[in-house]
Amino acid sequence: MTSPPLPEAWQRAEVPPLPAIGPEVVDEFARTIYGRTPEGGRLTELVLRSRENGVLDGAADRLRHHAVIACPLGDLELDTVTHLPAGASAEHPVPVVVALNFKSDEVPSAKVMKAGYAVLAVDYQQIEPDDPAPPAPGVRALFPTQTTETTDETTETTEPWGAVAAWAWGLSRLLDIADGIEGVDPAEPVVLGHSRLGKAALWAGAQDERFAVTVANGSGCCGASLFRHPGGEDIAAITTKFPHWFVSSFSTYAGNESSLPVDQHQLLASIAPRRVYVASAEDDAWADPIGEYLAVVAARPAFGTDGIGYHVRPGTHDLLEEDWLHALAFAKR
């Protein structure tokens, strides 16, 4: 599938001065932005609740599972939905895309199914509420609060992990679930997310080396877009509206992005040699699509041939069928 040509403004854009790509940046992203993901979370139960064959005009079968994940302070229960392409079976398994949905009734299109991937998804707020003061706690309440981290030389204060990190943790648990679904081959999985869930997909891809391809669509600030490229949402805006997404100290960089020890091209590069795909929309100004593109350009030296891909399409902030198809065509290469 041919990607749309780059708009003229993208072709003229220049990469700003950035921190160098190097090793050990994932720890810095955890400390500065997302928070450290704690160890733990074990799938203990997976029950098939229903199966509908021939949905999406015959292109797929729909499976609904109930999963129980044991955490240190209790169990997390998830109700997942898997769409299997028609013909997928234990004898003929298909690769899988794991994704978080904004709504429990979101479904992929028939054309996405015909691309040959199963899609395993769950409503993201089943994992962690998207609320700075939620009426009911999510998975973060099922882990003890770790306030210090001791190495051979130092003891460091550790801030609680943010909601983006919790959603990324959930994407890894979906991959655990995929391993127990007949007709799914979890060997070369894709993790995909849009908007705030694109941020979670990138953080999941950076931490979980089982993901072969990471796809971020319209992920913007704290996703694929560069902090050091002016335009779109900035740290002041995102930490004011969504303080629960990150470690609390991240807000101290508001208005002073140049002092951040990291930038998002480094997060993309940290996933190499596994593959990354970034997607933008021309009129999605708040996500700074040019900043997303420049992060891809800056990260390219970390990847081999065809290790990182990009497209920008006309339109606004959304995850469209064409975004899915471009990403899956890249994943198949």
Side-chain angles (χ1 to χ4, degrees), residues 7 10 102 193-196 198-199 216-221 223-225 229-234 278-293 310-320 323:
W10 274 245
F102 286 100
H194 168 63
S195 193
R196 66 198 64 182
K199 307 179 204 307
N217 185 86
S219 56
C221 181
S225 183
H229 179 260
E233 191 172 24
D234 59 14
V278 174
S280 304
E282 285 187 60
D283 298 322
D284 188 8
W286 197 234
D288 186 17
I290 294 178
E292 293 176 327
Y293 168 67
Y310 177 80
H311 82 258
V312 55
R313 58 161 174 80
T316 57
H317 190 66
D318 205 349
L319 176 60
L320 303 182
D323 299 317

Side-chain angles (χ1 to χ4, degrees), residues 298-329:
R300 275 191 180 135
F303 294 88
T305 303
D306 202 32
I308 188 166
Y310 177 80
H311 82 258
V312 55
R313 58 161 174 80
T316 57
H317 190 66
D318 205 349
L319 176 60
L320 303 182
E321 179 183 85
E322 67 178 284
D323 299 317
W324 276 93
L325 295 178
H326 280 299
L328 294 182

Side-chain angles (χ1 to χ4, degrees), residues 266-289:
Q266 295 170 302
L267 183 62
L268 301 182
S270 74
I271 299 172
R274 293 170 295 119
R275 301 167 71 218
V276 172
Y277 193 81
V278 174
S280 304
E282 285 187 60
D283 298 322
D284 188 8
W286 197 234
D288 186 17

Side-chain angles (χ1 to χ4, degrees), residues 128-333:
E128 181 69 26
D130 195 357
D131 189 328
V139 70
R140 289 186 292 171
L142 299 178
F143 286 84
T145 301
Q146 184 179 357
T147 57
T148 60
E149 182 171 316
T150 302
T151 66
D152 292 340
E153 299 177 358
T154 61
T155 298
E156 180 180 297
T157 300
T158 300
E159 295 181 87
W161 49 324
V164 169
W167 299 325
W169 174 94
L171 287 162
S172 290
R173 302 293 73 75
L174 287 185
L175 188 52
D176 298 341
I177 291 168
D179 196 36
I181 298 178
E182 188 173 286
V184 169
D185 180 359
E188 294 289 324
V190 177
V191 59
L192 179 148
H194 168 63
S195 193
R196 66 198 64 182
L197 305 181
K199 307 179 204 307
L202 285 172
W203 190 227
Q207 296 182 100
D208 191 336
E209 294 185 357
R210 295 177 298 169
F211 289 119
V213 180
T214 299
V215 180
N217 185 86
S219 56
C221 181
C222 303
S225 183
L226 293 171
F227 292 111
R228 288 167 171 83
H229 179 260
E233 191 172 24
D234 59 14
I235 295 174
I238 202 168
T239 57
T240 297
K241 189 170 184 179
F242 304 110
H244 56 295
W245 287 3
F246 313 106
V247 296
S248 59
S249 63
F250 178 50
S251 63
T252 62
Y253 292 98
N256 193 21
E257 276 79 355
S258 63
S259 68
L260 264 176
V262 291
D263 214 322
Q264 298 307 97
H265 67 300
Q266 295 170 302
L267 183 62
L268 301 182
S270 74
I271 299 172
R274 293 170 295 119
R275 301 167 71 218
V276 172
Y277 193 81
V278 174
S280 304
E282 285 187 60
D283 298 322
D284 188 8
W286 197 234
D288 186 17
I290 294 178
E292 293 176 327
Y293 168 67
L294 293 176
V296 170
V297 172
R300 275 191 180 135
F303 294 88
T305 303
D306 202 32
I308 188 166
Y310 177 80
H311 82 258
V312 55
R313 58 161 174 80
T316 57
H317 190 66
D318 205 349
L319 176 60
L320 303 182
E321 179 183 85
E322 67 178 284
D323 299 317
W324 276 93
L325 295 178
H326 280 299
L328 294 182
F330 173 83
K332 282 183 173 181
R333 293 177 192 167

